[in-house]
Amino acid sequence: IVAGYGDEAALTELAEKSDLLTYEFENVDQDVLTRVQKRTGVLVPQGVKLLTVTSNRINEKNFLRTHGLPTTDFAKVASPAELKVAVKELGFPAILKTVSGGYDGHGQWDINSEQDVKNMLEKWPKNLLAILEKRVDFVKEISVMVSRDNCDQVKLWPITENR
């Protein structure tokens, strides 16, 4: 089955052919998944609540901070005026990202100068809800995968470096 993450008919077809559904990607449409789960009764062991955090960069950063984990400085940006304010607060360099739906550079804009701000304001996407993040220099990016089974056994997979 090849379809978009929000294709309810395709997800229903997958659910009807499966004993359970899991996801490892934050761009799964949580409303569609909830409806399909209720309609088909398919087991979704991770639940859907996790997606409310991971599918929204603002929710995700606030969740991390609430749990004592550091994040880069950030600001919600819902309009060109808010971008100007956020840039004044955070400075350069920064990166503007869609709050949801963007991935691997899609839905992201480098904001490294006043010219970048001007260019962004001139081509402001309709209904853009974004987050401006202070850019952080880092040595490497890693991924940590953790899983838990129905008996609450937790498994930590080997840490991997993203390249």
Side-chain angles (χ1 to χ4, degrees), residues 141-161:
E141 178 184 45
I142 62 170
S143 288
V144 178
M145 297 292 291
V146 180
S147 64
R148 181 176 57 208
D149 66 18
N150 289 342
C151 298
D152 280 339
Q153 296 290 101
V154 175
K155 178 169 179 156
L156 175 65
W157 299 91
I159 295 171
T160 57
E161 181 179 354

Side-chain angles (χ1 to χ4, degrees), residues 50-93:
L50 179 63
L51 288 171
T52 64
V53 173
T54 61
S55 67
N56 180 300
R57 288 184 176 91
I58 295 169
N59 291 348
E60 188 173 50
K61 291 240 182 325
N62 286 327
F63 176 87
L64 292 170
R65 284 185 171 181
T66 298
H67 290 84
L69 298 167
T71 72
T72 189
D73 292 334
F74 67 94
K76 177 182 170 187
V77 176
S79 69
E82 287 183 6
L83 176 61
K84 291 176 186 178
V85 170
V87 166
K88 284 182 183 175
E89 289 176 5
L90 299 179
F92 300 116

Side-chain angles (χ1 to χ4, degrees), residues 103-122:
Y103 195 75
D104 286 345
H106 300 284
Q108 299 182 3
W109 301 270
D110 288 322
I111 306 293
N112 299 315
S113 67
E114 288 297 337
Q115 185 60 49
D116 289 339
V117 174
K118 183 178 184 243
N119 292 344
M120 191 67 212
L121 296 176
E122 289 173 358

Side-chain angles (χ1 to χ4, degrees), residues 5 24-27 57 98 100-108:
Y5 296 111
E24 60 83 37
F25 186 66
E26 67 273 10
N27 289 338
R57 288 184 176 91
T98 56
S100 63
Y103 195 75
D104 286 345
H106 300 284
Q108 299 182 3

